[in-house]
Amino acid sequence: MIPSRFLRVAAKVAIIEIIKKTPSFNKKTMARPYTSKAIANFIISSAPAFGITDLTPLKLQKLIYYCHAWCLALVGEPLLKDDIQAWPYGPVVSDIYHEFKIFGNQPVAISAKELAIENGELNMVEPLIPKEDTETASLVRTVLERYGRLTPI
């Protein structure tokens, strides 16, 4: 059996190598933090371009977590406004869990929605990353490229 200390060091070295090969991100042009639903919607809409056909709620949770972690590591600031909780199968954002739990272990087939006040009226809207924030979009795409084809467990 390989000692856990060795595995931790090997993981850190691997992450450092990946970060060295990753494009740099300008923290001034990234409009953060976002709601987890905005990041989820970007992942859901981008998944087919990366050949991701098995985007279950569990996999979506993990990809959101990796996006948040990469943002913290590369930019030094959080990507998400929402709290991340430790659950038995990994990190969970409660809003995402409740939004997509109806899919069980099947691929997510709809975008997330949230209530917003627009022009004095309460409406259901689809939160998005603004098109101008190319840095965040690039970060999320990089995470999808690296982890999108992996299983969530």
Side-chain angles (χ1 to χ4, degrees), residues 22-25 30 42 46 50 67 70 74 129 133-145:
T22 302
S24 62
F25 297 99
M30 295 176 83
F42 189 85
S46 301
F50 291 91
C67 291
W70 274 56
L74 296 173
I129 297 172
D133 190 356
T134 58
E135 297 288 334
T136 299
S138 178
L139 184 141
V140 175
R141 283 189 198 102
T142 301
V143 168
L144 290 176
E145 185 180 315

Side-chain angles (χ1 to χ4, degrees), residues 66-86:
Y66 284 130
C67 291
H68 181 68
W70 274 56
C71 192
L72 285 171
L74 296 173
V75 185
E77 294 179 3
L79 178 63
L80 302 177
K81 292 178 182 178
D82 307 304
D83 291 331
I84 299 172
Q85 302 169 0

